[in-house]
Amino acid sequence: AKKKGKNRYAWFEASMETDLQYRSELERGIRDGITNGEFVPFYEQQIDISSGDLIGFEMLARWRSPELGLVRPDIFIPVAEDMGVIAELSESLMAQAFRDARDWAPHLTLSVNISQVQLRDPLFAQRILKLLVQHNFPASRLDLEITESCLETDPQQVRSIIASLRNQGIRISLDDFGTGYSSLSQLRTLPVDRLKIDRSFIASLRDENADKTIVNAIFSLGNGLKMPITAEGIETAEVLQNLRDMGQFSGQGYHYGQPEDAASVTAMLASKGLL
Ligand code: C2E
Ligand code: CA
Ligand code: CA
Ligand code: CA
């Protein structure tokens, strides 16, 4: 059954946009998956580059599907958004992540990706605060990653949601920075705490290529605006070295490790005395 599942998955990826029957099967799978608790948080290490210290983890959603195996979020997040179940799914993942992360050493932060669909709910900030209280996780350890595209529908509302989250001590990061449509004008009016440079610029960083110029420009922008920077998708020591020349930042990527489930993270933290 497992092998068949894998083949169907590959085929599904290739025809995702067109095959309606597969789409409805996927929707049913997602609905059942939410009911059956098949969606789980994985965690990717975030490192302070100057000290080499672990500073926290980014939660990345995974679907342990009985039919498809371990499914990555690019497949199910957009479908969950269309189905109107993204808030439910995200909040169930956050509940699990808050319970996991409250056992980690208290200086370790938790970053969570937020869909622009969730930010259309005027009560979003209240929902987050309620979840934090329910699961006894401090706001000061939570970092929410949003993208510029969240401003497309109701920028005024999103700004006010962000303001109330930050008032409670939650930090906001601008994710996938550099890939958005009008980055610079948005940045002027969007009160965020951190810029995350998208991995499409980082992965191919070499001495003299165009990405290096772009990444350098993002570093100056961050310095000028006094916003700390995170580089995602650091895969090699060479890329890390190139980034070091540009200034201070935190980083994540396969160079430091693959995203792992809660049990592996707990074992890793225990071995480092960070529980
Ligand atoms: P993202 O926020 O840009 O997350 C980084 C993605 O790059 C993750 O993919 C991560 O596994 C992958 N990655 C990390 N380091 C490296 C590296 O060195 N090289 C390469 N090639 N890739 C690396 P993943 O886990 O498949 O997640 C894809 C996207 O799905 C995320 O992109 C994020 O936008 C979204 N996502 C994940 N979890 C959630 C969630 O709970 N809610 C929402 N709304 N979106 C989520
Ligand atoms: Ca992210
Ligand atoms: Ca990204
Ligand atoms: Ca993203």
Side-chain angles (χ1 to χ4, degrees), residues 58 112-114 144-149 172-180 192 194-198 232 252:
E58 177 175 358
V112 174
N113 293 284
I114 298 299
L144 298 181
E145 301 193 357
I146 64 169
T147 58
E148 297 148 83
S149 51
I172 308 292
S173 296
L174 198 54
D175 204 3
D176 298 344
F177 188 71
T179 62
V192 298
R194 167 176 297 278
L195 300 179
K196 288 194 76 173
I197 309 177
D198 190 65
E232 66 173 27
Q252 52 186 97

Side-chain angles (χ1 to χ4, degrees), residues 61-132:
R62 294 290 182 269
W63 178 18
R64 289 193 203 277
S65 158
E67 288 190 312
L68 305 173
L70 194 63
V71 183
R72 293 184 63 152
D74 292 333
I75 302 292
F76 60 83
I77 295 284
V79 182
E81 288 174 342
D82 287 353
M83 291 167 66
V85 298
I86 185 67
E88 187 188 347
L89 176 57
S90 172
E91 286 170 21
S92 137
L93 286 160
M94 271 190 268
Q96 297 178 63
F98 294 165
R99 290 194 301 263
D100 291 338
R102 79 189 168 194
D103 296 336
W104 306 341
H107 67 278
L108 297 173
T109 57
L110 173 73
S111 296
V112 174
N113 293 284
I114 298 299
S115 157
Q116 57 172 316
V117 174
Q118 290 171 275
L119 293 168
R120 289 183 203 144
D121 177 357
L123 296 179
F124 177 76
Q126 282 95 312
R127 297 172 75 115
I128 296 291
L129 295 170
K130 188 172 161 211
L131 266 180
L132 286 167

Side-chain angles (χ1 to χ4, degrees), residues 19-204:
D19 194 289
L20 285 173
Q21 192 199 330
Y22 218 96
R23 168 76 182 214
S24 71
E25 253 185 70
L26 183 69
E27 291 188 0
R28 190 170 40 75
I30 290 172
R31 233 174 252 119
D32 293 349
I34 294 176
T35 310
N36 301 335
E38 292 164 12
F39 291 91
V40 294
F42 271 46
Y43 301 99
E44 178 172 320
Q45 299 182 48
Q46 299 177 313
I47 307 290
D48 175 79
I49 302 298
S50 26
S51 64
D53 290 343
L54 177 69
I55 51 179
F57 292 88
E58 177 175 358
M59 191 267 276
L60 294 162
R62 294 290 182 269
W63 178 18
R64 289 193 203 277
S65 158
E67 288 190 312
L68 305 173
L70 194 63
V71 183
R72 293 184 63 152
D74 292 333
I75 302 292
F76 60 83
I77 295 284
V79 182
E81 288 174 342
D82 287 353
M83 291 167 66
V85 298
I86 185 67
E88 187 188 347
L89 176 57
S90 172
E91 286 170 21
S92 137
L93 286 160
M94 271 190 268
Q96 297 178 63
F98 294 165
R99 290 194 301 263
D100 291 338
R102 79 189 168 194
D103 296 336
W104 306 341
H107 67 278
L108 297 173
T109 57
L110 173 73
S111 296
V112 174
N113 293 284
I114 298 299
S115 157
Q116 57 172 316
V117 174
Q118 290 171 275
L119 293 168
R120 289 183 203 144
D121 177 357
L123 296 179
F124 177 76
Q126 282 95 312
R127 297 172 75 115
I128 296 291
L129 295 170
K130 188 172 161 211
L131 266 180
L132 286 167
V133 171
Q134 265 173 359
H135 301 284
N136 193 24
F137 190 68
S140 59
R141 292 178 63 189
L142 181 62
D143 185 306
L144 298 181
E145 301 193 357
I146 64 169
T147 58
E148 297 148 83
S149 51
C150 72
L151 292 169
E152 277 161 18
T153 27
D154 189 348
Q156 211 43 54
Q157 173 172 299
V158 170
R159 286 197 183 87
S160 106
I161 288 174
I162 290 174
S164 50
L165 291 166
R166 292 180 82 219
N167 270 333
Q168 301 290 327
I170 295 169
R171 269 155 307 173
I172 308 292
S173 296
L174 198 54
D175 204 3
D176 298 344
F177 188 71
T179 62
Y181 185 53
S182 50
S183 310
L184 295 184
S185 58
Q186 309 279 32
L187 194 60
R188 254 188 324 133
T189 55
L190 195 64
V192 298
D193 300 286
R194 167 176 297 278
L195 300 179
K196 288 194 76 173
I197 309 177
D198 190 65
R199 76 176 144 91
S200 59
F201 299 111
I202 304 295
S204 58

